[in-house]
Amino acid sequence: MNRPIKFRGGRHFLSNFYACRIHVWNRQFTSVESAYQWRKCMHHGDMQTAEKMLSTRTGLQAKHLSKSIREKEQLRAEWNQQRYSLMYALVAVKYRDPTLRKRLVDTGYSQLNEWVRSREGYWGALTYSGQAGQNMLGHILMRVREVIRLRNTPARRSQDR
């Protein structure tokens, strides 16, 4: 395996905050983060914040707005169970774009690390305390990259004809 890649500088396109069009649920979003946070609002029944989420222009704005989501305690465990599959689906939509897909595949077989500090360390490779995180976003990206690679093998392309 090659040297791990962090989502910084020229690799920012790997981030959920990267500006790109995401069309899901009959809506247009400006980033994976915006779509993810909108869906979280909907899951918790916070329609007011969901409506505001639709007008955010960046993933960072969506993330900041998500702090105001009125989470329902009884739905939190359910949300946590489905957040991985939701994020996987959104990341897969993002990499339907041919340019982004090529850039992802061009990362080769390197480990992809979401190199941000977070409270729980679920999506990123670090926690605020500096402990290793779970890097789930990195795992999703590597999984999507592998699916793209498998779909593009010569044997697979000839089966699709």
Side-chain angles (χ1 to χ4, degrees), residues 91-115:
V91 169
V93 168
K94 175 182 177 178
Y95 289 99
R96 287 180 188 162
D97 175 277
T99 303
L100 291 175
R101 185 172 49 241
K102 181 181 180 334
R103 291 181 76 186
L104 178 61
V105 170
D106 286 349
T107 62
Y109 292 91
S110 294
Q111 179 172 330
L112 303 176
N113 291 329
E114 169 69 302
W115 208 246

Side-chain angles (χ1 to χ4, degrees), residues 135-151:
N135 192 37
M136 298 310 285
L137 182 55
H139 292 291
I140 287 172
L141 285 162
M142 291 182 284
R143 208 172 133 203
V144 168
R145 180 181 63 193
E146 188 58 25
V147 167
I148 292 168
R149 207 180 267 123
L150 289 171
R151 285 186 182 151

Side-chain angles (χ1 to χ4, degrees), residues 67-97:
K67 304 293 182 201
S68 67
I69 296 172
R70 292 183 304 275
E71 290 188 30
K72 295 184 171 108
E73 187 65 38
Q74 69 273 22
L75 295 177
R76 186 172 295 139
E78 182 181 289
W79 173 255
N80 286 342
Q81 287 177 350
Q82 62 185 263
R83 64 184 172 172
Y84 180 91
S85 58
L86 172 64
M87 185 64 77
Y88 179 88
L90 292 172
V91 169
V93 168
K94 175 182 177 178
Y95 289 99
R96 287 180 188 162
D97 175 277

Side-chain angles (χ1 to χ4, degrees), residues 14-76:
L14 296 166
S15 170
N16 282 349
F17 293 87
Y18 185 77
C20 61
R21 291 185 217 239
I22 302 293
H23 187 81
V24 289
W25 308 299
N26 294 319
R27 288 173 174 74
Q28 190 78 24
F29 297 93
T30 57
S31 66
V32 168
E33 189 68 24
S34 298
Y36 178 85
Q37 297 300 343
W38 179 85
R39 188 67 192 114
K40 185 175 182 181
C41 291
M42 297 301 289
H43 177 81
H44 287 283
D46 187 346
M47 303 310 168
Q48 185 178 9
T49 305
E51 191 62 33
K52 289 178 187 174
M53 195 68 68
L54 291 172
S55 64
T56 60
R57 292 184 299 185
T58 67
L60 188 58
Q61 288 175 341
K63 181 65 176 174
H64 287 306
L65 182 58
S66 76
K67 304 293 182 201
S68 67
I69 296 172
R70 292 183 304 275
E71 290 188 30
K72 295 184 171 108
E73 187 65 38
Q74 69 273 22
L75 295 177
R76 186 172 295 139

